[in-house]
Amino acid sequence: MGKIEKPLKRKINGREIKIQANDTEEIEESEDSDEDLLTEVQEDESSESEEESEDSDPEDSEDDCDESSEEQSEEDHQNVSEDDSDEEVESGDDDDSDESESDEEDQQINEDHRGQKITAEETASKSSTSDESKILQNDKEGSESETATKEKTPRKGGRNSESVKSVGQEQISKATDEYDAFDTSDEEDIRNTVGNIPKNWYDEYKHLGYDWDGKQIIKPEAGDHLDEFLKKMEDPDFWRTVKDPQTGQNVILSEEDINLIKRIKAQKIPDVSFDEYAPWVEWFTSQVEKMPIRKFPEHKRSFLPSKNEAKKVSKLVHALKMGWIKTREEQARLRAKKEPQFYMLWSADDQAEEMRRIHKHIAAPKRLLPGHAESYNPPPEYLFDAKEMKEWNKLKNAPWKRKLHFVPQKFDALRKVPAYPRFIKERFLRCLDLYLCPRAIKMKLSIEPESLVPKLPSPRDLQPFPTTLSIEYKGHTDMVRTISTDKTGQYLLSGSDDCTIKIWEVNTGRCLKTIQTDSIVRCVEWCPNAALSLVLVATGNEVLLINPGVGDFVVSSRTDDVLKEAPNSDVVISERVKKAVQWCEPEQSLYDRGVRIQLKHFKMVTQVTWHGKGDYFGSLMPDGLNRSVLISQISKRKSQLPLTKSKGLVQCILFHPTKPFLFVATQRHVKIYDLLKQAQLKKLMTNSNCISTMAIHPGGDNLLVGTYDRKMLWFDLDLSTKPYQTLRLHGTSVRGVAYHKRYPLFASGSDDRSLIISHGMVYNELLQNALIVPLKRLQDHQPFNDFGILGVHFHPLQPWVFSSGADSTIKLYTN
């Protein structure tokens, strides 16, 4: 049998058809037929070809073809007709030819058929790659060549020209592939013809498989991880590149493919054009028909109740009234009366969760083992003497208070031991205990005290911090209330009740200068501005701005030049401020001591504090009521009263290190005011009786408050208005607290003469709370009139701390 060829696609009159190339089989079948039959078929085909050639007029065709193609088609028709005529002549002259001649004719027919088939295939391949004009020309040639092939192909059985022509038209109509235009089958991948096999079979070879022509598909060069990384960095299409498993090549996905993948991952319908919310197609109409659908009217009985059903219903009603028919509830009650009634003797036995004596059995407590006192021959120390016997008899009415419920006795031998007289009674009491005393499971919490204490890091891991007393500054004759250092940490300033201000050199402990004042010095502060050599002193009703005259001579002389002349200002000062404070030029005696500006207040000043820039400072007069807080400016020589109303006795004031905020501490609360908006921002609740002092963290988000009721309160201003931590580290009033400006340290001094150094780490992350760990207790001051440490101040650069006490000394602790 011959080989079955694939169908060839052609376009005839603008329509694509397939012509089945099964002529080879028909030719082989025709070998067994008679020569007459072959001759008759050839005659019919020749006549048919003549008719088709006459019908194929180039003017009637829809496609516009060139003259060369028409001439070529005519020549082909002539050649085919001549061949057919020759064959007819030969077959007509010699009907009784040999088998060799017939074989030669069949072979010639097969060769002509193969030639026509190859020409058709070449035409099809050229038509797929050429432009539109070539496609039309090739289609014309292809259609004519197929016609010629059909004319030369012999058919089985004798037919006339009309039957052969109808069969050809039927084959053309059947060869039309209606699925070819929209065939979406992807089961066969023609790029690699190895089929559905594991790809790892080709791991050892340089190719992946074979294409349609039988050629090897060479594997692409595979790079290493470095090449892949460089592609990932440099190639903008790396993210949309995938590897084709059939050919091993990298394929760049298009936007349509990426959108399709995104829709599938988002669990959406892949087709964008699909409308999942299309209007509902109603199977039944929703319109109410007013007129009947049927032509004839309804029967009269459809509008009247059924008489038979009415009779049945009346019978059922009569039977219910007479009691002949019972309802379901009545039947259940009657059935329950007839059946025997049972009940549970122990109602809890059918519930597994409540059957305690079976499922949750609790064993009875065991009796204690007998001790040495219950022995028949106990040691002498377990026997009662006269005092213990008298005490035992005294508790006759309260036997549960006795240490032992029997009197120990001593026998020489076991055979001399009499029967125990309380045996029956004790057994009876034991049974009563087991019967009457309920036993239940109780969840006992085993909480160890160590688990309640938070796990804190070791102080050894939190170094450096001050641990050792290094220098002691002696020179004052009365208690030292306040201390301060300059910005470089080279000089120490102290104020005492002996009406003196002393300036010390920190490293040597030498007193450089002593300034005499007229009254007790309650507060001293060194100016934070390094360009000014200025000290703020609160003594009596006055606030003095003193140039200490230490340090850089240029800075000291520049400070005198700045403060020498008062600036001219046209601002009218209110009477309320004039009565509260007056700016005065110092007398010559005060000027010689270093005083450059003198402020006279109407009440005693207890505290002064600098603003961070060194131009503003605040002064506190607790007895001033609504004029207790004053803010003064050195450059303009003027003061102002920020608070108009007083809601309590003010104890302490502080400036925020970076923002225009003022902290005002009354006896029970700490109020934060915005100086620009002139409004109150927050009110911190301390829950204490009286506030003594406070200090603010250099970051400005945490506040440390010391109270007279032995507490230290750590406030996180971003967290809450209530204390974040309440530290009860001292036994008496806390009088001094301070933060270090560089290290995570803070210290507190109390009247119990103890200075406690603590670790206070504030993190930049807002969600992480501050870490507070007490580190060291230092106690070197001597008591004086129930006062201990009055002032605490950290060195600005080193992890050192200064403490001033009522014993008129200042101590420096270093690491």
Side-chain angles (χ1 to χ4, degrees):
M1 300 297 291
K3 180 180 178 182
I4 299 174
E5 298 291 334
K6 289 190 177 181
L8 301 176
K9 296 181 182 179
R10 291 291 181 270
K11 285 188 178 180
I12 298 177
N13 296 332
R15 186 175 59 182
E16 182 176 325
I17 63 172
K18 290 184 178 179
I19 298 177
Q20 301 292 336
N22 52 3
D23 299 331
T24 309
E25 296 179 357
E26 296 177 354
I27 291 172
E28 291 178 357
E29 290 176 356
S30 65
E31 290 178 359
D32 298 333
S33 62
D34 296 332
E35 294 178 357
D36 297 336
L37 181 63
L38 179 61
T39 307
E40 186 177 356
V41 172
Q42 289 173 352
E43 291 175 357
D44 294 338
E45 289 177 349
S46 62
S47 61
E48 182 180 355
S49 63
E50 292 174 358
E51 292 175 0
E52 289 181 356
S53 62
E54 292 175 358
D55 294 337
S56 59
D57 191 4
E59 295 179 355
D60 298 336
S61 61
E62 297 178 358
D63 300 333
D64 295 333
C65 302
D66 297 336
E67 295 180 0
S68 60
S69 62
E70 293 178 357
E71 294 174 1
Q72 183 67 27
S73 61
E74 291 177 358
E75 292 175 4
D76 293 340
H77 282 294
Q78 292 176 2
N79 294 333
V80 172
S81 61
E82 290 175 0
D83 294 339
D84 292 340
S85 62
D86 294 339
E87 291 175 0
E88 290 177 357
V89 171
E90 291 175 0
S91 61
D93 293 339
D94 192 4
D95 294 332
D96 299 330
S97 60
D98 296 336
E99 294 179 359
S100 61
E101 294 178 356
S102 62
D103 293 340
E104 290 177 358
E105 292 175 356
D106 295 338
Q107 186 176 3
Q108 183 68 26
I109 291 171
N110 292 336
E111 290 177 356
D112 295 338
H113 171 69
R114 290 192 186 94
Q116 294 293 333
K117 183 180 67 173
I118 293 170
T119 306
E121 291 179 355
E122 291 176 353
T123 307
S125 62
K126 291 180 180 179
S127 62
S128 62
T129 57
S130 62
D131 54 1
E132 188 173 357
S133 61
K134 291 183 178 180
I135 290 174
L136 296 174
Q137 180 179 356
N138 291 334
D139 289 340
K140 182 73 175 180
E141 294 175 2
S143 62
E144 293 175 355
S145 63
E146 287 169 359
T147 305
T149 305
K150 290 183 178 293
E151 291 173 354
K152 295 182 67 175
T153 304
R155 301 295 178 184
K156 187 176 182 179
R159 298 177 184 176
N160 55 9
S161 60
E162 293 179 357
S163 63
V164 173
K165 184 176 182 180
S166 63
V167 168
Q169 292 178 354
E170 184 179 356
Q171 288 181 352
I172 291 172
S173 63
K174 287 184 179 180
T176 303
D177 188 6
E178 65 270 19
Y179 300 105
D180 185 65
F182 45 86
D183 188 9
T184 59
S185 175
D186 56 355
E187 296 178 355
E188 182 180 5
D189 193 351
I190 61 174
R191 294 172 300 170
N192 197 344
T193 59
V194 295
N196 189 11
I197 63 170
K199 299 301 178 185
N200 56 5
W201 290 3
Y202 285 91
D203 289 345
E204 298 179 357
Y205 301 95
K206 63 179 180 180
H207 62 283
L208 282 172
Y210 304 91
D211 57 5
W212 191 258
D213 298 330
K215 296 180 181 180
Q216 293 182 352
I217 300 176
I218 306 301
K219 293 181 182 178
E221 295 182 1
D224 54 2
H225 292 286
L226 182 59
D227 296 336
E228 185 178 358
F229 176 76
L230 292 177
K231 288 181 181 179
K232 186 176 181 181
M233 294 293 104
E234 298 175 358
D235 189 4
D237 295 332
F238 179 80
W239 64 277
R240 60 166 67 197
T241 304
V242 296
K243 188 174 182 179
D244 188 359
Q246 290 290 334
T247 61
Q249 301 291 334
N250 290 331
V251 181
I252 299 177
L253 298 179
S254 62
E255 293 293 335
E256 291 79 6
D257 299 336
I258 293 173
N259 294 333
L260 180 64
I261 294 171
K262 287 181 179 179
R263 292 185 65 86
I264 293 174
K265 290 187 67 178
Q267 298 181 356
K268 296 181 180 179
I269 297 175
D271 190 4
V272 182
S273 61
F274 179 78
D275 186 10
E276 56 181 326
Y277 301 105
W280 175 258
V281 180
E282 295 184 350
W283 183 263
F284 299 100
T285 179
S286 60
Q287 299 178 358
V288 180
E289 300 290 342
K290 296 182 179 180
M291 301 300 293
I293 299 177
R294 297 182 295 177
K295 294 182 179 180
F296 57 88
E298 294 291 338
H299 200 273
K300 184 178 179 181
R301 62 173 175 267
S302 62
F303 298 98
L304 298 176
S306 176
K307 294 182 179 180
N308 294 331
E309 290 179 358
K311 289 181 181 179
K312 289 181 181 180
V313 172
S314 62
K315 287 182 181 180
L316 291 174
V317 171
H318 181 66
L320 287 172
K321 289 182 179 179
M322 298 301 293
W324 300 337
I325 298 178
K326 304 292 183 183
T327 61
R328 293 179 181 177
E329 295 180 357
E330 292 176 351
Q331 289 177 0
R333 284 197 295 267
L334 292 176
R335 195 182 301 112
K337 289 181 180 179
K338 293 179 182 179
E339 293 178 356
Q341 299 294 322
F342 299 99
Y343 62 93
M344 293 298 297
L345 183 62
W346 306 103
S347 61
D349 285 356
D350 60 339
Q351 301 175 3
E353 61 271 12
E354 296 181 4
M355 294 176 64
R356 189 181 64 185
R357 61 188 180 86
I358 298 176
H359 297 279
K360 293 183 179 180
H361 175 68
I362 303 175
K366 296 182 179 181
R367 295 290 301 272
L368 296 176
L369 295 176
H372 294 294
E374 297 184 50
S375 174
Y376 75 96
N377 188 12
E381 59 269 15
Y382 288 95
L383 299 175
F384 285 175
D385 54 7
K387 183 179 179 181
E388 293 176 344
M389 193 66 190
K390 184 179 179 180
E391 188 176 340
W392 192 83
N393 292 329
K394 190 186 295 184
L395 298 175
K396 184 177 181 181
N397 296 328
W400 60 86
K401 294 182 180 180
R402 291 173 175 171
K403 188 177 181 180
L404 295 175
H405 62 279
F406 62 94
V407 179
Q409 295 179 2
K410 187 177 180 65
F411 299 97
D412 297 337
L414 187 59
R415 54 187 174 83
K416 296 181 180 181
V417 177
Y420 185 53
R422 292 176 53 86
F423 177 77
I424 296 176
K425 188 175 182 179
E426 287 185 356
R427 288 297 172 186
F428 175 70
L429 293 175
R430 170 73 173 171
C431 292
L432 284 181
D433 291 341
L434 298 177
Y435 169 63
L436 296 176
C437 297
R439 299 190 296 275
I441 298 176
K442 288 186 178 181
M443 299 301 294
K444 186 178 180 181
L445 298 176
S446 57
I447 299 177
E448 298 180 358
E450 291 79 8
S451 62
L452 299 176
V453 179
K455 294 182 179 179
L456 300 176
S458 174
R460 184 177 301 174
D461 300 333
L462 302 177
Q463 291 179 350
F465 57 88
T467 56
T468 307
L469 176 62
S470 297
I471 301 176
E472 186 175 0
Y473 305 89
K474 293 182 178 180
H476 288 286
T477 58
D478 204 342
M479 62 176 62
V480 183
R481 290 182 178 270
T482 175
I483 52 177
S484 179
T485 59
D486 66 327
K487 198 168 184 179
T488 61
Q490 184 178 0
Y491 302 105
L492 174 66
L493 181 67
S494 63
S496 174
D497 283 2
D498 58 2
C499 303
T500 58
I501 301 169
K502 291 184 178 294
I503 299 174
W504 313 80
E505 192 175 8
V506 173
N507 293 333
T508 61
R510 184 168 60 95
C511 180
L512 299 179
K513 184 179 290 187
T514 301
I515 302 173
Q516 188 70 33
T517 59
D518 297 335
S519 58
I520 296 174
V521 180
R522 297 189 177 274
C523 186
V524 294
E525 287 289 339
W526 210 298
C527 182
N529 190 359
L532 295 177
S533 176
L534 205 58
V535 170
L536 197 61
V537 179
T539 169
N541 293 1
E542 297 177 347
V543 173
L544 305 178
L545 290 171
I546 301 175
N547 186 354
V550 295
D552 192 354
F553 176 75
V554 177
V555 175
S556 180
S557 60
R558 188 185 304 163
T559 303
D560 291 339
D561 296 339
V562 170
L563 302 178
K564 189 173 183 179
E565 295 181 0
N568 296 325
S569 178
D570 297 336
V571 179
V572 179
I573 301 174
S574 62
E575 292 294 331
R576 188 165 175 264
V577 177
K578 283 183 179 180
K579 292 180 181 180
V581 61
Q582 293 180 2
W583 289 73
C584 303
E585 293 293 333
E587 298 177 358
Q588 188 62 34
S589 59
L590 292 176
Y591 192 87
D592 295 339
R593 298 181 200 171
V595 179
R596 298 296 179 259
I597 298 175
Q598 183 181 12
L599 282 77
K600 295 182 179 180
H601 297 70
F602 74 107
K603 294 291 183 180
M604 183 180 66
V605 182
T606 58
Q607 186 198 359
V608 287
T609 180
W610 282 102
H611 188 263
K613 294 184 179 180
D615 190 21
Y616 291 89
F617 66 90
S619 55
L620 174 63
M621 297 173 290
D623 299 333
L625 299 179
N626 58 351
R627 293 183 291 177
S628 57
V629 179
L630 272 167
I631 297 178
S632 304
Q633 187 178 5
I634 300 175
S635 59
K636 295 184 180 181
R637 303 285 181 92
K638 67 175 184 178
S639 301
Q640 54 184 336
L641 297 170
L643 306 180
T644 57
K645 296 181 181 179
S646 176
K647 296 182 179 180
L649 190 64
V650 181
Q651 301 291 326
C652 184
I653 60 172
L654 276 178
F655 283 102
H656 194 278
T658 57
K659 299 178 182 179
F661 295 164
L662 179 66
F663 293 81
V664 178
T666 59
Q667 289 182 333
R668 298 180 61 87
H669 307 99
V670 178
K671 299 177 183 179
I672 306 175
Y673 294 95
D674 191 341
L675 298 176
L676 291 180
K677 298 180 180 180
Q678 297 182 0
Q680 179 178 331
L681 295 178
K682 288 183 181 180
K683 184 178 180 181
L684 307 180
M685 313 300 292
T686 60
N687 297 326
S688 61
N689 294 328
C690 189
I691 297 175
S692 60
T693 182
M694 61 181 179
I696 189 167
H697 193 270
D701 293 335
N702 295 271
L703 185 70
L704 192 63
V705 178
T707 63
Y708 286 112
D709 50 359
R710 303 175 296 175
K711 292 188 295 185
M712 262 196 314
L713 308 175
W714 181 297
F715 285 93
D716 192 341
L717 302 181
D718 295 333
L719 185 63
S720 173
T721 57
K722 295 182 180 180
Y724 162 64
Q725 285 286 352
T726 301
L727 305 175
R728 294 180 176 85
L729 304 177
H730 297 280
T732 54
S733 302
V734 179
R735 293 188 178 272
V737 291
Y739 277 109
H740 200 288
K741 292 184 178 181
R742 291 193 176 186
Y743 292 91
L745 297 173
F746 68 94
S748 61
S750 173
D751 284 339
D752 60 358
R753 299 175 289 110
S754 63
L755 178 66
I756 295 180
I757 311 298
S758 302
H759 177 84
M761 185 64 184
V762 178
Y763 299 95
N764 293 328
E765 186 178 356
L766 297 178
L767 298 178
Q768 190 170 2
N769 295 327
L771 176 63
I772 301 174
V773 182
L775 298 176
K776 186 73 173 177
R777 178 188 290 269
L778 304 171
Q779 193 169 358
D780 294 304
H781 286 275
Q782 300 299 322
F784 179 78
N785 292 339
D786 294 334
F787 291 106
I789 296 176
L790 301 176
V792 178
H793 187 80
F794 274 101
H795 193 278
L797 303 178
Q798 300 294 333
W800 301 344
V801 66
F802 300 91
S803 64
S804 62
D807 57 353
S808 68
T809 61
I810 304 170
K811 301 184 185 300
L812 170 62
Y813 296 93
T814 61
N815 55 331

